[in-house]
Amino acid sequence: MPTALSIRNLTKTYKNGLTALKGISLDVREGDFFALLGPNGAGKSTTIGIASSLINKSGGKVFIFGKDIDVEFAEARSYLGLVPQEFNFNVFEPVVEIVVNQAGYYGIDRKRAFAAAEDCLRRLGLWEKRHSAARELSGGMKRRLMIARALVHGPKLLILDEPTAGVDIETRRAMWDFLRKINAEGTTIILTTHYLEEAESLCRSIAIIDRGVLIENTSMRRLLDTLHLETFVLYLKDPIRFLPELPEHDIQQVDDATLEVSISKEKSLNKVFTDLSCHGIEVLSMKNKANRLEELFVRLVNEKAAPASPARASIA
Amino acid sequence: MNLQQKYVAFKTILIKEWLRFMRIWIQTVLPPAITMVLYFIIFGNLIGSQIGGIKGFTYIEYIIPGLIMLGIIANSYANVVSSFFGAKFQRHIEEMLVSPTPNYVILLGFIAGGVVRGLTVGVVIFLVSLFFTHLQIHSLFVTVSVVLLTSVLFSLGGFINGVFAKSFDDISIVPTFVLTPLTYLGGIFYSIDMLSPFWQKVSLINPILYMINAFRFGILGISDISLLASFAIIIAFIAGLFIVGLYLLDKGVGIRT
């Protein structure tokens, strides 16, 4: 399958001497939904900035759909749509002008640009706001405006740097649905996020960067398979005051009607239910605790971090 | 990007710039018109009538070309420096930087925006001046070409200022401490023939003198400076500043990390 983004030995040292990237190489396949994760300051935004030509690299090569961003920059950039972390539009401009102008920078004439802008704004629920100045939009709308702007020229590769940061749950879910839809339509998506639930829910591939080094690059499924333990949340039919002694199982009482059980993937849950039943505890329902990627993330970053700074993987 | 697409990108920047300054016309177009009305009334009619003529023209006729040029220079410069710095400050310059638009098209787009504002203000001042005197254009070609070239030159100046500016103070230092003194000392209100030989020679190092005199030749047919020298100086400055501006964009000075 063709490669949407190919990075080879990418290095970046800033003027202040900080080395943000220490020779990263990775490939993102066409059509993939790819998560680029890492703690704050790991080098994610630097990688994205270099790929989108906003940051000058110190060394290495970047190819977008096979086009070298240094040599065939116009073609390489035409394949790419970027949704940066910070709002970066003219807050005094009307919404529709921001999107139409962006199309113009890609050589799309004004008539076609208006049609494309209308399509993007409608899909993102902003058409009614098209004449409003961007500063009048809510935080969630501003995020959607940046997505509409990034999509107006029909990019094959969309890079989103923390697109759901600071938006409410409803908007976030709607954005997830939208991103899934455009990915299903063929757009390759690279996503950085601090919401690991988001990455786990959306992405099929994952790379983790820490301190400018790639520490993991695999499929989401393969990474999650490396977890030996799974945690389930059990909702009880009747409240209990105390959890009985169950030495065979790793069970924690969350509250009087909720338990959390961590169990090896090789073990059956039936024994847990049987032992609970023996003590008169009936389980009404259960769910898989959705923090699997979080556990792995913390473990990977801590395992591969320098010994001088243990437990540095803050993800919030 | 083919030529047609580059033209679309250029036109997009130009339209964006035009809409930007027209959206705030009360701040951009109206003030120079009001300032010039005051100049015409005070220096033209009230004081000018006491001064008498210069080189066969009434004083108000003599100063009008310089005052129009003052508006064009200040507004071409101000448009690009404020727009480019604003784009940097709000980071929406990134909209262009991530796109396939070549740097020279971005530079030309900003220059065109400055030229359009300079011309708009110049036309407004010219129309206002017709309420105070009757002007006949001596050479349309010289008038138009000097206006365009001067506007391009100061748009480039504004662009370079915008590239290096790190704060809003930085975008007002050059206009206040460099452009305004040079413009006022560039022969708007007097002919350098009225100065002593020493100050005449000193005046010749002021590039704005060449522009004002060339423009005055276009309108009135008189100039303190050779027309050829004026055009040569303006074109040389444009070429130099364009190369510098493009170099800064290519290097990403102030805009790429």
Side-chain angles (χ1 to χ4, degrees), chain B residues 235-250:
Chain B
I235 291 169
F237 266 98
I238 288 174
L241 293 182
F242 189 86
I243 290 167
V244 172
L246 197 55
Y247 173 81
L248 294 171
L249 257 185
D250 285 343

Side-chain angles (χ1 to χ4, degrees), chain A residues 63-74:
Chain A
F63 301 89
I64 300 173
F65 285 96
K67 305 294 178 189
D68 188 329
I69 62 165
D70 296 323
V71 182
E72 298 157 290
F73 77 92

Side-chain angles (χ1 to χ4, degrees), chain A residues 8 37 70 95 99 145 168 172 186 188 260 268 284-285 289:
Chain A
R8 291 287 168 272
L37 306 181
D70 296 323
V95 166
V99 183
L145 170 58
D168 61 51
R172 187 180 305 164
T188 309
E260 270 186 19
S268 161
L284 193 65
S285 63
K289 193 174 178 187

Side-chain angles (χ1 to χ4, degrees), chain B residues 29-236:
Chain B
V29 180
L30 193 59
I34 292 173
T35 307
M36 290 308 153
V37 167
L38 295 172
Y39 273 124
F40 294 149
I41 292 171
I42 296 167
F43 292 101
N45 285 355
L46 300 179
I47 297 175
S49 61
Q50 307 296 312
I51 292 174
I54 298 179
K55 294 188 175 179
F57 292 93
T58 63
Y59 190 63
I60 191 167
E61 286 171 340
Y62 188 81
I63 65 171
I64 277 174
L67 290 173
I68 294 172
M69 198 52 104
L70 171 67
I72 291 169
I73 288 172
N75 281 277
S76 300
Y77 192 95
N79 195 71
V80 184
V81 72
S82 60
S83 175
F84 192 77
F85 179 71
K88 261 175 47 173
F89 186 75
Q90 289 191 59
R91 295 180 57 178
H92 57 84
I93 188 68
E94 292 175 1
E95 292 173 341
M96 294 176 205
L97 299 181
V98 299
S99 78
T101 304
N103 286 337
Y104 72 86
V105 174
I106 294 175
L107 182 56
L108 289 173
F110 275 102
I111 292 170
V115 169
V116 169
R117 174 153 156 206
L119 289 181
T120 305
V121 169
V123 168
V124 169
I125 297 171
F126 180 78
L127 294 175
V128 168
S129 74
L130 296 179
F131 288 102
F132 296 88
T133 186
H134 296 289
L135 281 177
Q136 283 187 330
I137 293 175
H138 174 75
S139 166
L140 188 64
F141 171 75
V142 172
T143 303
V144 171
S145 52
V146 170
V147 162
L148 283 175
L149 290 172
T150 304
S151 193
V152 167
L153 198 164
F154 284 94
S155 297
L156 277 163
F159 180 84
I160 292 168
N161 187 172
V163 166
F164 286 110
K166 289 190 167 77
S167 69
F168 284 99
D169 287 343
D170 293 343
I171 66 173
S172 61
I173 287 172
V174 174
T176 307
F177 296 107
V178 181
L179 277 188
T180 306
L182 285 181
T183 311
Y184 278 82
L185 295 171
I188 293 179
F189 297 104
Y190 57 86
S191 161
I192 59 165
D193 293 345
M194 297 157 74
L195 304 176
S196 65
F198 173 75
W199 287 110
Q200 280 187 29
K201 286 198 175 96
V202 171
S203 295
L204 291 177
I205 61 172
N206 178 1
I208 295 178
L209 178 80
Y210 296 83
M211 296 158 209
I212 289 174
N213 273 281
F215 188 60
R216 186 172 282 137
F217 179 86
I219 293 191
L220 303 178
I222 55 165
S223 172
D224 295 339
I225 309 285
S226 130
L227 206 57
L228 197 64
S230 295
F231 274 102
I233 292 265
I234 298 171
I235 291 169

Side-chain angles (χ1 to χ4, degrees), chain A residues 201-214:
Chain A
S201 164
L202 292 172
C203 301
R204 292 188 290 277
S205 303
I206 182 169
I208 300 177
I209 301 177
D210 186 32
R211 298 181 185 191
V213 177
L214 192 69

